[in-house]
Every structure is written in C-alpha cells, then in structure tokens.
Amino acid sequence: MSNSRRYWLSIHRWLGLVFGIWFVVLGLSGSYLSFYQEIDALLNPELVTTSGRREDQNRANLSDILHAAQTFHPTRFVHSVFPPRNANDTYHVWTTVSAQDDTSMWETLVDPYDARVLGTRAAVPTIEFSQRNLGNTIYTLHYNLFLGEYDTTLAGIAGICLLVSSVSGIIIWWPRNRHWAIGMKIKSGARGFRLHFDLHRVCGIYSVTVLMMVAFSGVFLSLPNFTMPIVHTLSKPNSADLVAPEIPPTAQSIINADMALSEASKVMPNSRLVCLWLPGASGDAWRVSLSRSGNIGLAGGRAEVWLNPANGAVLAHRVHNDLSVGGRFLAWQLPLHDGSAAGLLGRILVCISGFVPLMLMLTGISIWWRKKRKPSKNK
C-alpha cells in the first residue's frame, strides 16, 4: 500500500472510530424524518387526521382556525400556522410564550372543517419519547443531538466529518488495476473477515453519492452563519435575497388572516399557502409563504409576501425564482437533504441511506478489531 493510501486509510479509520456513533444517530433519525409525517399519521390518527368529514363540507376560514387555537391557549401568542397537506390532514398552529419569547413552542392541531382543536403537544425543540410526540423528539435529536445550547453546530461538524470520511473511502476503494467489478460485489462464499470487508466496501460505494449529497446539504443547513457568507461572496445577492422589511409596530392588526392570505395571493395567483406568520412572529408585518403546485421545497417558485397589518398593503415580496444564483443554490439544500427534490423515489433513497452508517460502523469496527488482534493472519 502506498503512503498516500495509508494516510487516507488512517483518516478513514479514525473518523469512523471517533464519529461513527454520531453518523449512526444522524442517519437513523434522518431515515425516520424522511417519512415522519406519514409515520405521525399512523401513530396519532386522532391528533393529525380529520374525522367525520362530509364530501360537501368546506374548510373553515383561516381566521376561525387561529381563533380556536387562541381560545384553547388564551395566555399564549399565536405565532404561525401550517395548512393541511391533503384532505385528511389538519392545521398545525404554533404558539409561543409571547411574541418576544419563542424559547418554548407548542403545536396545536385543529380540524380544518369544523375548527375543532384535536390536541396539542410541544413543538421542536423537545425531548419527549412518547407516541404522541416521537416525531418532534427525533427531529430535535437530528438537528442538535439534544444539545440545544450548541444549536446546530455539532450536526454541521458531523456533516463535514462524513464528507471527509466519504472522500477517503472512495480513495481507499479506488481500484489500482481498474478492476472495478471486484470492488462492487461481495465475493461468492465470503465469510468472517472477508464478508465484513466486502459488505463495508460494497455498501459504501453504492451509497456514497447519496451520503455525500445529504452530508453536503446538511452542512449548509446546519451552519448558515458560516456557509451563507461564502455563498454570497461567490454570488452577489440581489434585491430578492434581502430580508423582511422593517415597519413601525402597530398596537393591533386591522386585517385578519384571511384578508392577509387574499392579498398575498395576488402576488402569486393560483398558489397554495405554505405557512403564515402573524405580526410579531417574524417581524411586525404579516408574512405569507406561498408555492405553486409541483414546486419543490423552497426551490422552483416559492414566494414570500410581507403585508402591513394596519391596511393590508404589500410591503415587499420575494419570489425564489428571482433569487441570485447563490440564493437559488441555498434554496435547493433542504429538498436535496430530505430527498424531496426527486419526489417519492428521492425520499426512499434518503431513508435507505440513513441505515448505511450503521452497517458501515458495525463492519468497520469488525474489520479494525480483527486486524488489531490478528494482524499477521489478515495481511
């Protein structure tokens, strides 16, 4: 083995030994999150799915949905609302301690047809290993490893380490004699050390593209304070990249949620609501996020509109198609990370790839331990 390959092998080995369990936790939690909404509906049908709906029954007004959540939690601040994804889904209304204090957040589930509150639970971040709140707990684990004070930095570091581990794995795997087939299959009749070696090599090379994509996008999502300046240095931001407008605070909003949505929809006709933030939640204006059918995540046409709560006038709007190259690049990171960029197939691939770090860690430790105990036999 050449000195360079021996160097990369050492890097690959120690990254696996030191950070392997970290990769496994992020991978398995990521697999769950690939289908967390579907799993949540199976675990908590009484909480996140509607019941007793008639075919001719229309949805309640958005203002009635928010009023129901506010009545259920009269001392909390109604922060934002996410609409149903389909006919059987519910409204997810987020509340906080106050407009100034969002250190604790709750998720209130409201039936879209009769505005009935179905239940409430702690929102991300939370640690509550219960059937009712397993999804939010695993989401918290995935993005901050239950170390809230460190925010998402540790997850970003794990992504960098996984990228380096993947690159070193490719270098080690690369056939010196160009016999590619040997490195892409498990030897017939392989057992013991040889079986573990082949499993490690084959699983790694077949999954490396998806793993690197997930790790790369995870770094950009987890470390925005570091990655965004780099992107904006390479691609100068334009007006569409700018943040929300600042307006003088008003004592009370004159327009309601339905009026805000109606005015915002004029900016992007034939669109659907993605999220609505109430005044005080994301600045002092109403903030409405819209998307057209078929768009992927933030990419492909999502728009954000800010409205004056005093008169409903559009203060600013941002269409993601008008973003700079760097802005569009950043907008694609989440759909790449969760696989939604490639639809259901992409989500399945990301889900499967989340189990790969566990396989690689187990086989890698086995290989390392056997070589450590019997170096002469396995040379």
Side-chain angles (χ1 to χ4, degrees):
M1 180 181 292
S2 66
N3 290 334
S4 62
R5 290 173 70 91
R6 189 175 289 110
Y7 169 78
W8 284 109
L9 175 61
S10 179
I11 291 177
H12 189 74
R13 178 190 301 122
W14 284 107
L15 283 175
L17 291 174
V18 176
F19 298 104
I21 190 63
W22 207 350
F23 299 155
V24 170
V25 169
L26 291 174
L28 294 179
S29 59
S31 291
Y32 180 97
L33 293 176
S34 298
F35 291 94
Y36 81 95
Q37 292 174 323
E38 290 83 356
I39 296 173
D40 194 25
L42 291 174
L43 293 177
N44 304 292
E46 76 291 346
L47 191 64
V48 296
T49 59
T50 60
S51 60
R53 176 209 172 206
R54 301 189 308 271
E55 290 186 4
D56 60 343
Q57 189 174 11
N58 295 321
R59 287 184 175 178
N61 292 329
L62 188 55
S63 298
D64 295 333
I65 299 295
L66 297 178
H67 177 73
Q70 184 68 83
T71 302
F72 195 81
H73 298 294
T75 63
R76 296 179 187 169
F77 170 68
V78 178
H79 179 277
S80 53
V81 57
F82 295 85
R85 296 175 297 113
N86 52 56
N88 297 319
D89 197 10
T90 60
Y91 277 98
H92 296 240
V93 183
W94 285 42
T95 59
T96 61
V97 177
S98 67
Q100 295 75 34
D101 184 2
D102 61 357
T103 54
S104 296
M105 304 189 77
W106 295 268
E107 186 182 14
T108 303
L109 295 310
V110 184
D111 190 293
Y113 300 102
D114 58 15
R116 176 171 49 93
V117 173
L118 302 176
T120 186
R121 58 190 177 186
V124 176
T126 185
I127 303 177
E128 182 186 334
F129 285 100
S130 65
Q131 179 175 320
R132 187 183 188 86
N133 216 6
L134 182 61
N136 286 338
T137 299
I138 292 180
Y139 195 105
T140 303
L141 171 65
H142 187 74
Y143 91 91
N144 71 6
L145 300 171
F146 295 150
L147 300 172
E149 61 181 296
Y150 297 101
D151 200 22
T152 59
T153 303
L154 292 179
I157 294 174
I160 294 173
C161 292
L162 182 56
L163 280 173
V164 176
S165 180
S166 299
V167 171
S168 61
I170 293 173
I171 294 174
I172 297 166
W173 170 89
W174 198 271
R176 284 169 290 183
N177 52 12
R178 297 188 178 183
H179 290 169
W180 308 101
I182 296 177
M184 302 185 73
K185 64 181 181 181
I186 298 174
K187 184 178 180 180
S188 178
R191 294 184 300 171
F193 174 85
R194 180 59 194 234
L195 176 61
H196 292 172
F197 179 81
D198 283 356
L199 281 172
H200 190 86
R201 182 171 58 175
V202 171
C203 287
I205 198 60
Y206 278 112
S207 64
V208 70
T209 301
V210 177
L211 286 178
M212 291 186 70
M213 178 192 70
V214 171
F216 182 83
S217 56
V219 170
F220 277 85
L221 294 171
S222 301
L223 303 174
N225 292 334
F226 297 96
T227 57
M228 288 182 67
I230 296 174
V231 172
H232 289 157
T233 299
L234 299 174
S235 174
K236 185 178 179 180
N238 58 27
S239 59
D241 294 314
L242 300 179
V243 296
E246 294 185 4
I247 62 169
T250 57
Q252 186 177 3
S253 177
I254 305 301
I255 66 172
N256 60 29
D258 295 291
M259 296 168 64
L261 178 59
S262 176
E263 292 300 315
S265 297
K266 295 177 183 178
V267 175
M268 179 179 275
N270 303 317
S271 60
R272 59 181 177 82
L273 177 65
V274 176
C275 182
L276 181 143
W277 289 265
L278 279 71
S282 180
D284 294 307
W286 286 91
R287 178 183 173 189
V288 186
S289 184
L290 303 167
S291 181
R292 288 197 175 98
S293 178
N295 291 338
I296 301 171
L298 292 178
R302 180 163 159 176
E304 292 179 80
V305 184
W306 289 266
L307 301 108
N308 193 322
N311 54 26
V314 174
L315 298 169
H317 69 275
R318 177 173 61 194
V319 178
H320 283 267
N321 282 345
D322 296 335
L323 292 172
S324 64
V325 173
R328 291 196 297 271
F329 169 81
L330 292 172
W332 273 100
Q333 297 313 304
L334 179 57
L336 286 174
H337 190 71
D338 63 19
S340 60
L344 178 60
L345 177 60
R347 294 169 63 198
I348 292 174
L349 289 175
V350 168
C351 181
I352 294 173
S353 72
F355 290 89
V356 172
L358 176 61
M359 170 67 79
L360 296 180
M361 187 188 74
L362 294 177
T363 54
I365 290 177
S366 173
I367 295 168
W368 169 76
W369 184 249
R370 288 169 180 262
K371 283 190 173 183
K372 182 179 176 64
R373 293 189 63 184
K374 300 178 181 179
S376 60
K377 183 176 180 178
N378 294 308
K379 282 185 180 179

